Amino acid sequence: MTRSFESHLNDELATVAMGKQVAAIIKQGAVIYLHGDLGAGKTTFTRGVVQGFGHTGKVKSPTYTLVEPYELERANVYHFDLYRLGDPEELEFMGIRDYFSPQAICVVEWPEKGGEFIPVPDLDITLSYVGDERKIVFKSTSERGAAIVDKLKK
């Protein structure tokens, strides 16, 4: 059940706002993959998602720790950054499967480095530069993802 949606984001505030909009739509867990070059806005988008679930502190990229957990009132949000992952098997040693419960929100930057150790996403999102703006493209890969994309289109 593939659906897609794309939008242009004028600046950092628009990128955060789009993350918050996605968080407002999600009623139960989701796996979200984020693709894009360094600096394309993946962590900025994730900040919006985490804030959308009620986090008020800083949201930083877990480049060296691989995962940053946010245990919030509405949901547990886990932000993964696999950029520095040497071998996907390292994920098995850190207990990666424990994070991906049906109720958890898992946002994964650089998912291609996770191989078979991370589940298929509900949403596959790509951020890219178009001039001074960013373009964000959502593709659903599950029923849950399709429902999110359908609500974004409204």
Side-chain angles (χ1 to χ4, degrees):
M1 176 159 262
T2 302
R3 303 264 201 291
S4 62
F5 171 75
E6 73 177 59
S7 182
H8 287 271
L9 306 168
N10 296 329
D11 54 21
E12 183 176 337
L13 290 175
T15 306
V16 171
M18 180 62 77
K20 287 180 178 178
Q21 185 177 352
V22 169
I25 292 170
I26 297 172
K27 298 302 177 213
Q28 55 184 4
V31 176
I32 300 170
Y33 282 7
L34 295 178
H35 304 278
D37 293 336
L38 287 172
K42 297 180 298 295
T43 299
T44 303
F45 174 83
T46 303
R47 182 181 338 135
V49 172
V50 173
Q51 288 175 351
F53 278 98
H55 181 69
T56 55
K58 189 172 165 86
V59 175
K60 60 185 181 353
S61 180
T63 304
Y64 294 100
T65 58
L66 296 181
V67 63
E68 189 67 40
Y70 299 91
E71 295 180 359
L72 306 167
E73 192 174 314
R74 267 187 61 211
N76 290 335
V77 181
Y78 301 105
H79 177 199
F80 297 89
D81 184 338
L82 306 183
Y83 181 72
R84 298 201 184 281
L85 187 68
D87 183 337
E89 205 165 282
E90 291 175 40
L91 296 172
E92 194 65 33
F93 298 122
M94 71 175 267
I96 188 99
R97 295 179 203 278
D98 296 339
Y99 293 99
F100 289 90
S101 73
Q103 294 77 33
I105 312 302
C106 294
V107 182
V108 185
E109 296 186 38
W110 305 98
E112 58 278 3
K113 294 182 175 268
E116 64 200 39
F117 294 95
I118 56 176
V120 173
D122 296 297
L123 286 176
D124 211 0
I125 299 173
T126 302
L127 287 135
S128 59
Y129 287 104
V130 177
D132 292 338
E133 296 181 337
R134 289 187 176 111
K135 179 169 95 169
I136 188 167
V137 178
F138 294 83
K139 288 192 178 147
S140 65
T141 55
S142 72
E143 298 256 347
R144 185 182 284 181
I148 294 167
V149 171
D150 286 345
K151 288 181 181 167
L152 281 172
K153 288 180 174 182
K154 293 181 180 178

